[in-house]
Amino acid sequence: MLNRTTVDQGIWNSLNFITCRALSAHCNNHDLNCHFEKALLYKALKRIDDDPLFEERHKGAVASIARLIMRSGLGRLIRHIPPCLATPMVVEINKRKPH
């Protein structure tokens, strides 16, 4: 029987972390376009602040911090964090059209 530490370490070791820069370079080298969605963290915080059902699923400290950020004005700043510096990161990749 595997203990929890061994299982957790196995999952952790199987994760692949990639940076915006590495993904952009890979796409550029393979004639692909990549577009990173902007303001995802802001959208999640705003949804917690605006949507009671979503807030209920994220109750506790997460919802309290989200409300504090959105109502203090920090949300406007978070909205402008570049996608490469934010989490989560969503990227759309598609093939470049020939010229």
Side-chain angles (χ1 to χ4, degrees):
M1 182 170 182
L2 294 173
N3 66 34
R4 183 170 172 92
T5 304
T6 304
V7 173
D8 289 346
Q9 190 62 43
I11 291 170
W12 183 258
N13 290 339
S14 71
L15 292 175
N16 294 306
F17 294 97
I18 189 164
T19 64
C20 248
R21 181 180 286 207
L23 186 55
S24 295
H26 176 82
C27 289
N28 194 39
N29 291 335
H30 292 88
D31 293 323
L32 300 169
N33 292 317
C34 64
H35 171 76
F36 294 90
E37 190 171 336
K38 297 177 182 174
L40 284 174
L41 179 57
Y42 169 80
K43 290 173 187 175
L45 295 173
K46 183 164 176 33
R47 186 171 175 199
I48 290 171
D49 196 40
D50 293 345
D51 182 343
L53 292 175
F54 193 69
E55 178 187 11
E56 180 62 26
R57 290 196 309 259
H58 297 86
K59 60 185 169 189
V62 171
S64 297
I65 292 168
R67 279 192 306 278
L68 177 68
I69 289 170
M70 294 307 292
R71 294 175 186 172
S72 71
L74 285 174
R76 287 189 302 264
L77 293 175
I78 289 172
R79 175 188 267 175
H80 299 290
I81 294 174
C84 290
L85 299 177
T87 187
M89 189 173 14
V90 173
V91 62
E92 179 180 320
I93 300 173
N94 52 46
K95 200 171 189 177
R96 280 194 195 134
K97 295 183 180 178
H99 290 73

